[in-house]
Amino acid sequence: MNRVLINIIRFVLLVVAQILVINHIRLGGYVHPYIYLIFVMLLPLNIPGWQLLLSGFGMGLVIDLFMGTLGMHAGATTLMAFCRPAIIRLVSGNLKFENVREPSINQMGFPWFLRYTLCMVTLHNFTLFMLEGFTFHLVGQALLRILLSVPVSMFLILLILYFFAPTKKRDRTPV
Amino acid sequence: MYNLIRFIQKHHFVILFLALEVLCITLLTLTQSFHRQKRINTTNDLVGKVYATGTDIGDYFRLGKINRDLAEENAQLRRQLAVVTDTLESYTETVNKDTIYEFIPARVVNNTVNRPNNYLLIDKGKADGIEKDMGVISSDGIVGIVSDVSQHYASVMSLLHSYSTISVRFKNNGHLGILHWGTTNYRYGIIDDIPTHLLLQEGDTVVTSSYSFIFPENLLAGTVTELIQSPSGTLNKAKIRFATDFSTLKNVYVIHHTNKAELDALIKNQQQL
């Protein structure tokens, strides 16, 4: 299937899941898991920079519209998209992925993906909660939220990716 | 000029990033600043529709509980009705038949309890006679005040909002107070400025006062759970457990005060004198 179409479908499904399911998770009021980051994480590796930024911004903006926090998620997700190339370089180290089109657990291996998720989620949550704290003068609380939310977000993201990862049999040969 | 274009081409990634971030911060300050907390975006009909569809699906799995809650409320209303009809019979000649409050039932389609400022979205709007500043209650107690209305949806500033204040009264001694959220837990609120001579017991009931035109008098707001003595010995605070459980809110009623326009005009005149 067309790459663009796949990403559009992924975008819509993640927004619906985030708004209608994940946002209802309330563990003591401090845990706010965000799974819509999967969209930015799985964009193709060779995507042009401006498309990467606009995709991140668009995703954040749609989430903002639904949550009534115009600018907050958009800001955090744009920053995450901006840092993505650097994060990928950082977590890859000497590893080279010649034939890989988009990040996946199967092709990059679990340790790589764990580091990648950790960096992306931490960066996003940190920016987001700081923007929130900056607006609502509750910085100590924001830090506690980050500490509690990052593990939950990571767990959910990895779980979802594990569920929807193509199995080895269906693995497409790289073009 | 050519150099400028080359510069932009070379650094377009960083420039676009900075432009988008500036846009985000601008949006954030515009919509979240102190006096402009209108939520134009979430009261918009498309967003309302998505949430309503989601709630429809969710409701389907909760039908049992919703039914039980409604049946319970019905039973309670029937009990009250029985008492009221008994006493009413003797008064029918003297009592003015026009009631000044109308209740418009509505369903909560989106609700948050864990943000610094929380709002609810309900599925009734201008078309159903909802206006800004109307009170919203549930069968358990008060919920909030309508803050923004679109054609078919309305956004309600819940009690769990840093700008929410409700005029209340302690039922047993009649002392007035101002109830606000003041905590981070969605079950508890605070009443400030309680004189030290006032001895409150745990479990004392707090109801709405008659000084507000938004809520009728004597609606349950919550119960006292703790009296917080001030260290300087001046004015105490009380911790209140809200009667409404905001996290499971489903069916609410919007209160329409039929004489509110008249009262508002009167107060305005009074202030001008």
Side-chain angles (χ1 to χ4, degrees), chain A residues 4-21 35-36 38-40 55 58-59 62-63 66, chain B residues 50:
Chain A
V4 179
L5 194 62
I6 288 183
N7 273 303
I8 291 174
I9 294 173
R10 198 181 276 151
F11 183 99
V12 174
L13 288 181
L14 282 172
V15 170
V16 170
Q18 177 71 48
I19 296 298
L20 297 181
V21 182
I35 58 156
Y36 69 88
I38 292 176
F39 173 72
V40 180
S55 304
M59 186 57 165
V62 170
I63 297 289
F66 279 101
Chain B
V50 173

Side-chain angles (χ1 to χ4, degrees), chain A:
Chain A
M1 225 196 303
N2 189 342
R3 296 267 126 197
V4 179
L5 194 62
I6 288 183
N7 273 303
I8 291 174
I9 294 173
R10 198 181 276 151
F11 183 99
V12 174
L13 288 181
L14 282 172
V15 170
V16 170
Q18 177 71 48
I19 296 298
L20 297 181
V21 182
I22 306 291
N23 275 357
H24 291 278
I25 295 179
R26 290 182 195 123
L27 300 169
Y30 283 106
V31 180
H32 298 230
Y34 294 112
I35 58 156
Y36 69 88
L37 313 184
I38 292 176
F39 173 72
V40 180
M41 288 172 59
L42 293 193
L43 286 170
L45 287 176
N46 57 357
I47 188 173
W50 62 274
Q51 285 183 17
L52 178 64
L53 286 176
L54 286 181
S55 304
F57 177 74
M59 186 57 165
L61 199 66
V62 170
I63 297 289
D64 274 335
L65 281 179
F66 279 101
M67 294 177 63
T69 53
L70 214 55
M72 206 143 45
H73 288 268
T77 320
T78 311
L79 180 71
M80 192 180 80
F82 177 72
C83 296
R84 197 184 92 140
I87 289 178
I88 289 181
R89 274 201 301 279
L90 181 79
V91 296
S92 297
N94 293 326
L95 298 169
K96 285 278 175 285
F97 302 101
E98 297 283 325
N99 296 322
V100 181
R101 286 180 136 220
E102 56 185 42
S104 75
I105 298 183
N106 277 344
Q107 284 167 312
M108 316 295 227
F110 188 74
W112 185 92
F113 216 86
L114 188 69
R115 276 177 286 161
Y116 180 50
T117 318
L118 177 69
C119 291
M120 295 288 266
V121 171
T122 311
L123 177 70
H124 173 268
N125 278 18
F126 190 78
T127 337
L128 184 68
F129 294 140
M130 276 305 157
L131 281 177
E132 204 174 8
F134 160 75
T135 325
F136 300 116
H137 60 77
L138 297 164
V139 176
Q141 230 186 2
L143 285 173
L144 183 61
R145 280 188 184 184
I146 295 170
L147 275 181
L148 295 173
S149 296
V150 170
V152 180
S153 286
M154 281 182 65
F155 174 73
L156 284 175
I157 288 176
L158 290 172
L159 196 72
I160 290 167
L161 288 179
Y162 207 74
F163 258 111
F164 291 99
T167 50
K168 288 269 153 120
K169 252 183 266 167
R170 277 193 282 138
D171 216 349
R172 286 176 294 267
T173 44
V175 184

Side-chain angles (χ1 to χ4, degrees), chain B residues 12-33:
Chain B
H12 75 277
F13 189 55
V14 178
I15 292 170
L16 181 63
F17 165 68
L18 291 177
L20 289 175
E21 285 296 343
V22 169
L23 180 63
C24 292
I25 303 283
T26 316
L27 284 173
L28 196 60
T29 39
L30 278 184
T31 48
Q32 310 274 346
S33 66

